[in-house]
Amino acid sequence: MTTTAAMQSTATPRATVKEWTGLAVLALPCILYSMDLTVLNLAVPKLTADLGPSAVELLWIVDIYGFVLAGALLSMGVLGDRVGRRRLLMIGAAAFGLASIAAAFSTTVWMLIAARALLGLAAATLAPSTLSLVTNMFRDPAQRTFAIGVWIASFSSGAAIGPVLGGVVLEYYWWGAVFLLNVPIMVLLLAVGPWLLPEAREADAPWPDFVSAALSIVAVLSLVYGIKLFAHSGPSLAVGAALVVGVLVAALFVRRQKRLADPLIDLALFRRPAFSTALTVNIFGFFIAFGSFLLIAQYLQLALGLSPLEAGLWSAPSGITFVVGALLTPLMTRLVAPQRLVALALTVAAGGFLMLGIGDDPDLARVVAGYVIFSFGLAPVFTLTTDLIVSAAPPERAGSAAGIAETSTELGGALGIALLGSLASALYRLDLKSSIQGVVSDTALAEAGEALGRVSSLAAELPTAQGAALVAAAQSAFGNGFQMAALASAAIALGTAAATFLVIGRQSTPGGGPFDAPIASR
């Protein structure tokens, strides 16, 4: 027993104070990612009033960041293996700070969309670097799972801090100021990163295949654009063309991966049921999480009438709960087998979504309670699925594995924003039209249907009775759309829980992984 333990200790050295200090440094960009998302959610009403984007343009502003990030992650993960993960992290930090300044001072809708796209490209250099450095710094399985829990928790910390800071900023400054919150964090990372983070690179690692990278970006953007356009305007030639292009380019991407000696994605990994199911669970988990974050931020302000600061403060409990859930995951896996914990946690999350979706329009207390419950349920899901994905690859391909994990995260989140946001918007327009048509002019109805954020200013231009009726109908219509999106999220969570239990629960992962056995037994 002693000899075996000694051999395991030699094979998997435990982290020292230096690695744990480095983990604290790596938490900085992770906090930034979620801060950037949550503060933008709060800025949507002011942004809409200032720049006047259409409903489709508003969705592009919110989710182009995630789509470009998802498309570029695989290439940047492989590039980090080649040029050095710390070096790529520093380059990305500088680029992210500059792109944030460009976004802050955007004067048109398309200038902001372009700046957000550049932010996504810069973030694609940061995301896989942080996760691959974590997996290189923490080789012991139990320590790695805890470190990944801290990594996940740092995102949640940003989600908790972001609404509060964003609310304060939006209380006194213009909407673009929320992007300037990114700059000091990037400056701090550039200052301390070279001193506290180890360099990790593989001299024999291949250069990324940029043709594959371009194909992945085109496929993602084409598919999502087609889906969003269909949700907004129904079937059309443009919708069909976008979807066909997306499917064909995706097929070309997969075909190219099969023929390359060093593909962006090792397709053999997807033949492992535990790996592919964990990836799918991660995508669906972030789908319902990110889509709900955006809708809740808008519901708190536009339907319940809270200020940006008040909405931020009432969003903070969910972020804190997420941190607690992620940090408690290693302890929970000592009590419940990991695959059962994932299924149970998804069921808990479904309960939170049901609380939001059932009954009359939810009041503030019900929104906060549902938000906290589904956040606590999703925290262990993200920790364990990320652990499995990155531990499936050898250390020399850590960047590539991190790219796959982050791609599933960002793609799931971006699709959640697009599809759940489009669902809520479509239902909002239909409900508003059926309830207020004939009370206000068709022009006012069409303008109000573009976005709830325009209703207050539009109502002020109408006679008092018509304005009050329009505001009441719009808030009710948005509440109905919000609740249907919450019910859809609950159904997805329950379906994913069943798939997790049936598929992962019956499989073992060759070579070990978080779904094989509780952490305490490793």
Side-chain angles (χ1 to χ4, degrees):
M1 183 73 69
T2 303
T3 302
T4 301
M7 291 174 63
Q8 290 177 341
S9 177
T10 302
T12 55
R14 294 179 65 81
T16 65
V17 173
K18 181 179 180 181
E19 281 75 28
W20 292 111
T21 305
L23 179 63
V25 173
L26 290 176
L28 292 174
C30 299
I31 291 172
L32 175 64
Y33 302 153
S34 51
M35 271 185 57
D36 190 58
L37 178 63
T38 54
V39 296
L40 181 61
N41 289 345
L42 290 173
V44 164
K46 281 193 172 184
L47 186 157
T48 301
D50 186 18
L51 297 183
S54 67
V56 171
E57 288 172 338
L58 182 59
L59 284 174
W60 275 117
I61 290 171
V62 173
D63 59 30
I64 189 64
Y65 170 88
F67 292 140
V68 174
L69 176 56
L73 276 169
L74 294 173
S75 299
M76 295 304 176
V78 176
L79 185 62
D81 289 337
R82 175 77 183 191
V83 305
R85 292 148 196 158
R86 186 184 67 186
R87 179 182 297 176
L88 189 65
L89 181 63
M90 297 297 102
I91 293 171
F96 199 94
L98 294 174
S100 297
I101 294 173
F105 294 100
S106 295
T107 55
T108 67
V109 169
W110 287 102
M111 182 179 175
L112 179 57
I113 291 173
R116 289 280 292 166
L118 291 175
L119 275 171
L121 186 61
T125 67
L126 298 173
S129 299
T130 55
L131 183 54
S132 58
L133 282 170
V134 167
T135 59
N136 274 274
M137 292 159 59
F138 298 91
R139 299 295 180 87
D140 178 77
Q143 286 191 326
R144 185 186 64 237
T145 300
F146 182 79
I148 289 176
V150 173
W151 183 81
I152 293 288
S154 64
F155 286 94
S156 308
S157 299
I161 296 169
V164 178
L165 289 179
V168 172
V169 168
L170 290 169
E171 196 79 12
Y172 300 102
Y173 301 100
W174 88 112
W175 59 265
V178 298
F179 291 106
L180 297 180
L181 293 172
N182 302 335
V183 178
I185 296 178
M186 290 295 95
V187 171
L188 180 60
L189 177 60
L190 288 168
V192 302
W195 298 96
L196 295 176
L197 295 177
E199 183 57 283
R201 65 183 296 269
E202 305 298 329
D204 297 330
W207 287 101
D209 178 48
F210 290 104
V211 174
S212 295
L215 290 174
S216 67
I217 292 175
V218 171
V220 169
L221 290 179
S222 297
L223 288 170
V224 173
Y225 176 73
I227 292 169
K228 287 175 29 173
L229 192 60
F230 175 80
H232 182 259
S233 56
S236 68
L237 183 60
V239 169
L243 294 177
V244 169
V245 168
V247 171
L248 290 177
V249 174
L252 288 175
F253 173 81
V254 172
R255 183 180 180 185
R256 185 173 180 84
Q257 303 316 293
K258 292 179 179 178
R259 303 168 82 177
L260 289 174
D262 293 299
L264 282 181
I265 296 179
D266 183 2
L267 297 179
L269 288 173
F270 293 87
R271 292 195 289 268
R272 301 172 61 178
F275 176 87
S276 58
T277 305
L279 201 65
T280 303
V281 170
N282 205 48
I283 290 173
F284 280 119
F286 277 99
F287 179 99
I288 57 180
F290 277 44
S292 299
F293 294 162
L294 174 62
L295 291 174
I296 289 174
Q298 293 183 66
Y299 187 83
L300 288 173
Q301 295 177 81
L302 300 176
L304 297 185
L306 301 184
S307 69
L309 178 57
E310 291 171 332
L313 290 172
W314 284 111
S315 298
S318 69
I320 296 170
T321 303
F322 223 123
V323 173
V324 173
L327 295 179
L328 288 178
T329 297
L331 176 61
M332 288 188 278
T333 57
R334 292 187 172 96
L335 304 174
V336 182
Q339 72 275 7
R340 295 190 177 186
L341 176 58
V342 170
L344 179 61
L346 284 166
T347 304
V348 171
F353 287 116
L354 286 173
M355 180 177 289
L356 297 175
I358 294 177
D360 297 331
D361 289 351
D363 57 15
L364 178 60
R366 190 143 62 96
V367 171
V368 173
Y371 203 175
V372 166
I373 291 171
F374 81 68
S375 295
F376 184 76
L378 290 176
V381 175
F382 298 149
T383 301
L384 291 173
T385 54
T386 301
D387 194 356
L388 176 61
I389 295 167
V390 298
S391 64
E396 63 271 14
R397 298 300 300 271
S400 178
I404 294 175
E406 281 295 296
T407 297
S408 69
T409 294
E410 296 300 332
L411 184 58
L415 285 172
I417 290 171
L419 297 184
L420 289 178
S422 295
L423 171 64
S425 295
L427 293 173
Y428 162 73
R429 287 192 299 273
L430 289 173
D431 198 336
L432 180 64
K433 183 177 181 180
S434 65
S435 62
I436 203 70
Q437 192 170 29
V439 178
V440 298
S441 68
D442 290 343
T443 301
L445 179 60
E447 193 171 340
E450 282 294 313
L452 181 59
R454 297 184 180 182
V455 170
S456 295
S457 59
L458 183 62
E461 301 173 359
L462 298 174
T464 303
Q466 289 186 9
L470 178 62
V471 170
Q475 290 178 339
S476 176
F478 187 83
N480 292 337
F482 170 67
Q483 287 191 289
M484 289 303 298
L487 290 176
S489 298
I492 291 171
L494 288 174
T496 307
T500 301
F501 186 78
L502 292 175
V503 178
I504 294 183
R506 296 180 181 180
Q507 301 290 336
S508 61
T509 306
F515 288 119
D516 290 326
I519 293 172
S521 68
R522 288 190 235 158

